[in-house]
């Protein structure tokens, strides 16, 4: 049987992993923002928008896909729905008033939403489920850092290249050029 102090440490580790993994989601959306605003100056776009909220980043990508990339809209809708759900849970875990219970290794998170007090209790196992959901959104089928990113980037770079006579972008993945412009 695991002792309570050790169990609490595992809970804290799970919560720390959640925070770290969620920040990967945040950065991933910021990277998409940089592809949208200026594919040739992505570092500058990241710096200018570094303090933007998760929702602002998500909305920016959503608007761009809906207006410019209808071929990706269904895939994005699935990703976006998952992002919305994960972000709601994050709000409880990160911004909620946390009350730990050492006896049953839970955290009670209290937030105010629409002028109502909302309470949610999380266990270590529930936080680990959220971690797996974030990992899937990042690298699973149609993940933000997987196939969806490759398709989004290819289409965005092709769009950029069609609008610019000089400074075209060649996009390679695994030594294969994916953009229409080959260099």
């Amino acid at each position: 049987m695991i002792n309570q102090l050790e169990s609490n440490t595992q809970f804290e580790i799970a919560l720390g992993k959640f925070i770290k993994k969620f920040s990967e989601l945040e950065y991933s959306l910021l990277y998409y923002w940089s592809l949208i605003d200026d594919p040739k100056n992505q570092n500058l776009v990241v710096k200018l928008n570094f303090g933007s909220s998760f929702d602002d980043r998500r909305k920016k990508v959503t608007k761009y896909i809906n207006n410019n990339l209808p071929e990706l809209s269904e895939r994005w809708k699935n990703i976006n729905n998952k992002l919305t759900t994960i972000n709601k849970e994050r709000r409880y875990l990160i911004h909620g008033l946390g009350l730990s219970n050492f006896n049953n290794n839970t955290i009670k998170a209290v937030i105010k939403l629409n002028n109502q007090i909302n309470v949610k209790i999380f266990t270590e196992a529930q936080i680990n489920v959220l971690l797996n959901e974030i990992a899937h959104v990042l690298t699973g089928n149609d993940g933000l850092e997987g196939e969806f990113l490759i398709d989004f980037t290819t289409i965005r770079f092709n769009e950029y290249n069609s609008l610019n006579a000089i400074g075209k972008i060649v996009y390679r993945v695994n030594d294969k050029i994916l953009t229409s412009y080959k260099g």
Side-chain angles (χ1 to χ4, degrees), residues 152-181:
F152 181 94
T153 305
T154 302
I155 295 167
R156 178 62 185 114
F157 285 175
N158 281 336
E159 177 187 49
Y160 178 88
N161 289 341
S162 72
L163 299 172
N164 294 282
I166 57 172
K168 293 185 183 279
I169 300 170
V170 175
Y171 182 51
R172 289 181 175 85
V173 175
N174 296 329
D175 292 328
K176 182 179 177 189
I177 297 176
L178 300 180
T179 46
S180 299
Y181 177 72

Side-chain angles (χ1 to χ4, degrees), residues 2-140:
I2 195 163
N3 75 40
Q4 196 59 44
L5 205 52
E6 193 175 309
S7 180
N8 192 46
T9 301
Q10 290 172 343
F11 184 82
E12 290 171 352
I13 289 169
L15 191 55
K17 286 180 179 179
F18 174 83
I19 293 167
K20 182 180 178 291
K21 202 59 141 168
F22 190 86
S23 70
E24 290 178 39
L25 272 182
E26 289 188 295
Y27 183 79
S28 184
L29 290 174
L30 187 56
Y31 179 74
Y32 277 82
W33 188 325
S34 73
L35 290 172
I36 292 166
D37 277 6
D38 192 349
K40 291 291 274 191
N41 295 296
Q42 292 174 26
N43 289 339
L44 178 62
V45 175
V46 167
K47 287 178 188 173
L48 291 173
N49 296 290
F50 195 75
S52 60
S53 73
F54 184 81
D55 278 334
D56 286 346
R57 295 172 191 189
R58 196 178 48 75
K59 288 175 185 175
K60 172 85 173 183
V61 176
T62 299
K63 182 178 178 183
Y64 183 80
I65 288 173
N66 289 341
N67 292 339
N68 299 288
L69 307 175
E71 63 270 43
L72 296 180
S73 63
E74 270 309 304
R75 292 164 66 191
W76 173 252
K77 184 178 176 182
N78 292 332
I79 293 169
N80 195 28
N81 287 338
K82 292 174 187 173
L83 291 172
T84 300
T85 301
I86 292 167
N87 193 38
K88 285 179 185 175
E89 300 298 303
R90 176 202 58 91
R91 184 162 184 219
Y92 279 96
L93 287 169
I94 306 306
H95 298 295
L97 171 63
L99 307 167
S100 294
N101 186 331
F102 288 101
N103 295 328
N104 62 9
N105 205 26
T106 62
I107 187 168
K108 183 187 290 188
V110 182
I111 63 169
K112 189 173 184 179
L113 185 64
N114 298 326
N115 283 333
Q116 292 184 330
I117 300 297
N118 294 281
V119 178
K120 193 160 192 176
I121 297 174
F122 292 91
T123 65
E124 178 188 348
Q126 289 170 310
I127 294 172
N128 284 325
V129 167
L130 287 171
L131 271 168
N132 288 334
E133 289 175 13
I134 293 172
H136 183 73
V137 169
L138 286 169
T139 60

